[in-house]
Amino acid sequence: MIEKQQMNRRKFLSYLGTGAAALAAASAGLGSLEGKASAASKTADHLFGFNTNRVTGFFEPIEPSDADQLILPNGFSYDVVAAYDDVINQAGEKFGQGADYNAFFPLEGSDTRGLLVTNHEYTNIFLHGPIGDKMTPTQIHNELYYQGMSVTEVYQDNSGTWKLDTKSKYARRINGFTKFELTGPAKNSKAVGNVSAVTGTFANCSGGVTLWNTVMSCEENFGETAAYASLNDTHYGWVVEIDPFDSKFLRKHTALGRFNHENTAMGIAKDGRVVVYMGDDKKDACVYKFVSKGKYDAAKGRRNSDLLSEGTLYVANLKGGQWAEVSIDAVKKVLNNDKFKAPSGVKGTKEELLQKFQTQGDVVTNCHEAALLVGGTPTDRPEDVEISPFDNTVFICHTNNDNHGNIHGHITRIFETDNDLGSTSFDFEIFAAGGRQSGFSSPDNLAFDSNGHLWVVTDISSSSLNKGVYTSFKNNGLFVIPTSGPSQGDALQFASGPKECEMTGPFFTPDERTLFLSIQHPGENTTDASKPTSMWPHRKGDKIPREAVVAIRGFKLG
C-alpha cells in the first residue's frame, strides 16, 4: 500500500504521472524528475542519467541563521583569501569592493596555486561615507577605482591555509580607468559615439570562463556610476573579456548586446558554433543567447575570441518555445507592420522607433527594447544562467519579481530541441521554486559539482532579510540541490552568510577540495559608518565590515 511507504517528493511526483508533475513540482520546490518534461533523464537514480567518476563529499545540512558569521557544516572551515582594500601586488594596488564572481585558473596544473579572478560590482558607505546630490572628485575616483575586477595569485600553504601571493607577476586591477577595445556591430557606430575603444569597466556582476580559458565579466547596473562620473553610458552594459595571464588582452563584445548583464554561459552547438547564454538582471527583462557565425577550433586558442564579434543574437520567447532573432531586419519587420503597437516596456511612437533603430549597432546598444519588439518574454529578473555539463540542459535563476507576485523566485530548466545548443526552439520546466516548501528564496548564482549537484546562492534583498514572508529563511545562504541519491531534489543548506550580505561567485578548484565564494556587502543597511550593522569578517583592528573572497575547505572526494 502506498500509504505505508515513506513518501518523499520524488516518489510523490512519480505517483502523479506526467500530466500533473510540473505543477506539483513547482509547489514542492523541485523540477519534474519523471516523464516527458525530463526526456533527457535516462535512469531513475540520477537526474542526468549516469554516474560520474568523482563525487564531492556530502555534509550534514545546517539550519538558517541570523548571526553575523559565515556558518558552515561540521567538518568545514574557511580562509579569508582577499578582502576589500587588501594590497594585492608589489605596486600597491588594492582589492576592490563589492566582491562578486570568481574564477580559478591553475598555475602549471596545480590545484593549490593559481590565479583568482574576482569581479567588483559596486561601492558603499564604507568607502565613500555620506554622498550628497553628487559625488566629489575624490568619491568619483574611488568609485571608478574600487569597481571592476581583480586578478590575484592565491596558494595553499603547508598548513592548508589559502593566502594571497602579493609578489605575483600576474596580480593586477582592471577598473574604471582601464582601456578596452570594442568588437562587433557597435564598434565605430553612431550608437556609441563612433568610437572603437572605451575607457573603464564597472558594475561587474557575474561572469563565465570561455572555451579558450579567458574570463567574461558582465557589466550590470552601470547607470548610476556612469551618471556620477559624467560618462557616456553607451560605453557600459557590455560583456567584457580579459585574459588573466595577459594584461594587454581587454575587449568588450558588442554583438552580445548591451543590457544589465548578470553572467555568461558558453557551450558549443552541434555544428561547432559557439553559443553564449545570458540573463538581464532586472524586472520584466529577457533571457538571451548568442550563436557565432564561425565555428570553434580548439587549436586556435584565444584567437577564437574573434567568434564573438559576428553571429546572431536571440531572445527567448517562452510562450512559443522559440529563440527570436534580435536583428535590425527583425526589428524593422515589426515596426513596419501596419498593425504595430509598442509592447509594454518600449517607449516611443512608430516613427521615433524607426529613427532609433537603423543599424545592428543601434539594436545591440538598445538591446532590451529591441528584444521586446521582436517578441522576447519579460521574466522575473533572470540572473545566473548555466549549461549543465552532463546533458546540455540550461538552468536559469529567476530571482524574483513582486510585480508578478513571484516573491521567492524559481530556477527554470531549458531543453533545447534535439539537445542542440544552436537550436532555435526549446521546451522548459520549473526545476525548483523558492518558498517555505523548499527552504530557500531568491536564487541568484549557480554552479555544478562533478556529480551534477546544483549549488545555489540566494539574494534576498538586505531590506527584506528576516522580515515578513522572508523571516523563516533568515540570512542569505548557499544551498545544494542533489540530483541523485535519497535527497534528490531537496534543497540542503550548506552555508549561512553574515548580516545583510549575499554570497556570490561559487567556484570550485579542479579537484573540488576548495570552494571559492564571495561575501558581498555585509552590513549593507548601515547608515552611519561608525555604527556598522555587521563587522564580518571580524578581523583584528577593523572598524568596518569588509567584503571578501573566502576559500572553503573540508570537502572529501569519493
Side-chain angles (χ1 to χ4, degrees):
M1 298 288 291
I2 292 174
E3 59 268 27
K4 291 184 180 180
Q5 298 181 19
Q6 182 179 2
M7 183 69 74
N8 63 28
R9 295 178 194 171
R10 190 171 186 280
K11 289 179 181 176
F12 179 61
L13 287 178
S14 65
Y15 290 131
L16 279 175
T18 59
L23 180 61
S27 63
L30 70 158
S32 305
L33 304 179
E34 305 286 347
K36 295 179 181 178
S38 286
S41 300
K42 300 178 182 66
T43 69
D45 64 350
H46 197 290
L47 183 132
F48 300 109
F50 56 89
N51 293 319
T52 57
N53 58 11
R54 187 172 71 243
V55 179
T56 300
F58 230 60
F59 61 94
E60 185 66 28
I62 67 169
E63 294 296 322
S65 170
D66 58 6
D68 189 32
Q69 299 287 348
L70 173 56
I71 297 174
L72 303 172
N74 290 334
F76 291 84
S77 62
Y78 70 89
D79 307 314
V80 177
V81 180
Y84 156 57
D85 221 28
D86 284 352
V87 173
I88 65 170
N89 59 20
Q90 296 297 287
E93 291 185 293
K94 304 287 190 70
F95 197 71
Q97 203 170 39
D100 203 298
Y101 175 75
N102 297 294
F104 178 79
F105 293 81
L107 284 167
E108 298 180 357
S110 173
D111 291 303
T112 59
R113 180 178 284 271
L115 301 186
L116 185 68
V117 179
T118 303
N119 281 351
H120 300 291
E121 187 175 4
Y122 54 87
T123 58
N124 61 36
I125 191 171
F126 300 112
L127 171 65
H128 294 305
I131 297 176
D133 294 336
K134 60 180 182 178
M135 282 187 169
T136 66
T138 296
Q139 287 173 327
I140 291 171
H141 178 275
N142 288 340
E143 176 85 348
L144 296 174
Y145 179 83
Y146 280 96
Q147 293 187 60
M149 306 170 73
S150 288
V151 178
T152 56
E153 186 168 334
V154 298
Y155 68 99
Q156 200 169 19
D157 69 12
N158 292 335
S159 69
T161 302
W162 282 91
K163 297 180 178 179
L164 274 181
D165 184 349
T166 58
K167 295 181 180 180
S168 172
K169 66 180 181 180
Y170 298 107
R172 65 188 186 276
R173 286 297 316 284
I174 300 161
N175 55 28
F177 303 107
T178 306
K179 304 283 187 181
F180 288 85
E181 171 196 357
L182 293 182
T183 76
K187 180 177 181 178
N188 291 317
S189 74
K190 183 179 178 181
V192 297
N194 305 108
V195 299
S196 60
V198 298
T199 299
T201 186
F202 43 79
N204 301 76
C205 191
S206 191
V209 176
T210 68
L211 298 168
W212 44 93
N213 219 35
T214 61
V215 173
M216 305 272 263
S217 177
C218 294
E219 299 173 339
E220 191 186 56
N221 296 308
F222 55 89
E224 186 174 63
T225 295
Y228 276 135
S230 299
L231 297 171
N232 183 339
D233 67 0
T234 66
H235 295 181
Y236 311 97
W238 304 105
V239 173
V240 170
E241 183 183 7
I242 68 119
D243 186 340
F245 299 93
D246 182 355
S247 62
K248 296 180 180 180
F249 187 83
L250 300 156
R251 295 181 171 185
K252 291 193 181 188
H253 294 294
T254 70
L256 276 60
R258 173 178 166 268
F259 45 85
N260 296 79
H261 283 276
E262 173 70 19
N263 84 314
T264 64
M266 183 176 286
I268 303 179
K270 282 187 175 180
D271 64 4
R273 292 177 296 163
V274 169
V275 182
V276 182
Y277 291 87
M278 301 166 286
D280 184 358
D281 181 14
K282 60 178 177 284
K283 294 178 182 179
D284 302 330
C286 301
V287 177
Y288 299 83
K289 78 174 179 182
F290 169 85
V291 182
S292 67
K293 180 179 179 181
K295 297 181 179 181
Y296 174 67
D297 181 354
K300 290 183 177 179
R302 198 179 68 182
R303 285 179 294 162
N304 283 288
S305 173
D306 294 340
L307 295 173
L308 303 180
S309 299
E310 188 175 5
T312 305
L313 185 64
Y314 295 94
V315 65
N317 181 314
L318 294 174
K319 185 176 180 179
Q322 298 289 324
W323 291 102
E325 278 194 27
V326 188
S327 65
I328 185 60
D329 289 343
V331 169
K332 284 185 174 180
K333 181 178 180 180
V334 170
L335 292 176
N336 286 321
N337 190 310
D338 292 338
K339 298 181 180 179
F340 170 75
K341 182 180 179 181
S344 176
V346 176
K347 297 180 181 179
T349 65
K350 178 177 180 176
E351 290 70 26
E352 289 171 335
L353 291 169
L354 281 169
Q355 182 66 27
K356 185 174 190 175
F357 292 104
Q358 297 186 21
T359 68
Q360 187 63 17
D362 297 328
V363 168
V364 294
T365 304
N366 303 286
C367 194
H368 174 70
E369 290 177 295
L372 294 175
L373 285 170
V374 300
T377 300
T379 65
D380 298 341
R381 288 185 61 201
E383 294 209 48
D384 208 295
V385 185
E386 297 294 340
I387 304 167
S388 163
F390 302 93
D391 68 352
N392 264 5
T393 56
V394 180
F395 290 74
I396 305 164
C397 277
H398 292 280
T399 297
N400 52 40
N401 188 346
D402 54 4
N403 291 346
H404 296 171
N406 186 356
I407 306 303
H408 297 299
H410 60 274
I411 302 173
T412 301
R413 185 184 183 196
I414 284 181
F415 301 83
E416 295 279 26
T417 300
D418 297 326
N419 200 32
D420 182 4
L421 298 183
S423 176
T424 56
S425 61
F426 61 90
D427 199 355
F428 74 95
E429 68 182 19
I430 305 300
F431 172 76
R436 286 176 60 92
Q437 79 290 338
S438 57
F440 71 91
S441 174
S442 308
D444 187 339
N445 293 154
L446 300 171
F448 284 96
D449 66 28
S450 63
N451 200 38
H453 300 324
L454 194 63
W455 293 68
V456 185
V457 291
T458 61
D459 182 16
I460 302 170
S461 69
S462 294
S463 60
S464 298
L465 283 168
N466 296 292
K467 297 176 184 177
V469 297
Y470 298 101
T471 302
S472 64
F473 307 103
K474 298 193 176 179
N475 292 349
N476 278 309
L478 168 61
F479 297 80
V480 181
I481 303 180
T483 63
S484 62
S487 298
Q488 179 169 320
D490 294 323
L492 310 176
Q493 187 160 359
F494 179 83
S496 176
K499 289 184 177 180
E500 297 167 16
C501 89
E502 61 172 304
M503 291 179 286
T504 59
F507 201 98
F508 284 100
T509 53
D511 65 359
E512 291 187 359
R513 292 185 183 273
T514 299
L515 174 65
F516 292 104
L517 189 69
S518 291
I519 309 299
Q520 191 182 72
H521 59 67
E524 183 181 35
N525 284 344
T526 297
T527 56
D528 181 347
S530 67
K531 299 176 182 178
T533 56
S534 169
M535 277 300 295
W536 188 90
H538 305 281
R539 297 202 301 193
K540 186 177 180 179
D542 272 348
K543 296 181 180 180
I544 60 171
R546 295 188 184 274
E547 292 145 303
V549 176
V550 300
I552 298 175
R553 298 181 282 138
F555 296 98
K556 295 177 175 62
L557 307 184

